[in-house]
Amino acid sequence: PVGSVKWSSSGKQVASASQDGYARVFDIARLDSDLMSHQTDACALRFAHPDKVWAVDWSPDGERLATGCADGLCRIFDISTGEPTQEASHHLLHGGWVRAVAWSPDGARVATGAADGLARVFEATSGDEQMTLEHAGTVWSVVWSPTGEYLATGSDDGCRIFHSASWVVVASFGAAGFVRSVSWNP
């Protein structure tokens, strides 16, 4: 099963997260060609992980891919080399499955959500943690506002919106159960 699919900002590639332990990047031009010729594998890149991959997100410039894995790590891969930039960094580690990843609009930060009940914000280049945001259960979704001024989280305890300069909760919505997905209206 595929847990997450995201388009690159150029619209020329799509990335997927899969429970078989791979994040994949598909080139759309190649995919169109392969479908026309009835080929079955149009995958341009594969990124192996030691466990299930639950989430993927492209950097705004399309040069890096962040992944969330069941081993508790968020990894960042360089698309041009296919190599990880933050492989197994202790900074990007959660105490549970990483269920969500999201790049900030300026590409400077990556937010993660995990089964350990934490949303975390990391500096994308160094991997240094900037903030930990506690929740009462799994954090299923993290998404930045289009300006990067806010971060929204969806979790077992509802939806919260944090101001990204102070990390103060500016809004919180309950739900009759958990919130699996959060999205901003551009």
Side-chain angles (χ1 to χ4, degrees):
V2 174
S4 177
V5 178
K6 295 285 177 91
W7 286 95
S8 65
S9 60
S10 69
K12 295 179 179 180
Q13 294 177 309
V14 66
S16 67
S18 182
Q19 291 184 25
D20 67 0
Y22 286 93
R24 292 176 173 85
V25 173
F26 298 90
D27 178 66
I28 297 307
R30 183 174 165 193
L31 181 63
D32 286 345
S33 171
D34 286 354
L35 287 174
M36 295 301 289
S37 64
H38 303 287
Q39 297 293 320
T40 59
D41 189 11
C43 184
L45 294 169
R46 285 183 180 85
F47 302 106
H49 293 68
D51 207 334
K52 297 172 182 153
V53 183
W54 292 107
V56 291
D57 196 29
W58 292 92
S59 62
D61 61 11
E63 295 179 7
R64 294 169 291 171
L65 186 73
T67 64
C69 186
D71 69 354
L73 286 175
C74 170
R75 291 172 174 81
I76 298 175
F77 292 90
D78 182 314
I79 295 298
S80 66
T81 66
E83 297 297 320
T85 62
Q86 295 289 342
E87 178 69 40
S89 167
H90 69 280
H91 300 290
L92 303 176
L93 180 64
H94 273 274
W97 295 0
V98 177
R99 301 299 302 222
V101 294
W103 286 87
S104 62
D106 63 3
R109 298 177 285 183
V110 176
T112 58
D116 60 4
L118 301 176
R120 298 170 101 183
V121 179
F122 302 96
E123 199 282 326
T125 303
S126 69
D128 291 339
E129 186 175 336
Q130 293 186 339
M131 182 55 59
T132 298
L133 308 167
E134 293 186 25
H135 293 70
T138 298
V139 179
W140 299 95
S141 181
V142 291
V143 63
W144 296 90
S145 65
T147 63
E149 187 176 359
Y150 301 99
L151 178 72
T153 61
S155 68
D156 287 349
D157 61 354
C159 176
R160 296 184 198 168
I161 299 176
F162 299 87
H163 192 275
S164 66
S166 64
W167 299 111
V168 170
V169 175
V170 297
S172 180
F173 326 153
F178 56 84
V179 174
R180 259 275 162 110
S181 182
V182 180
S183 181
W184 288 95
N185 180 359

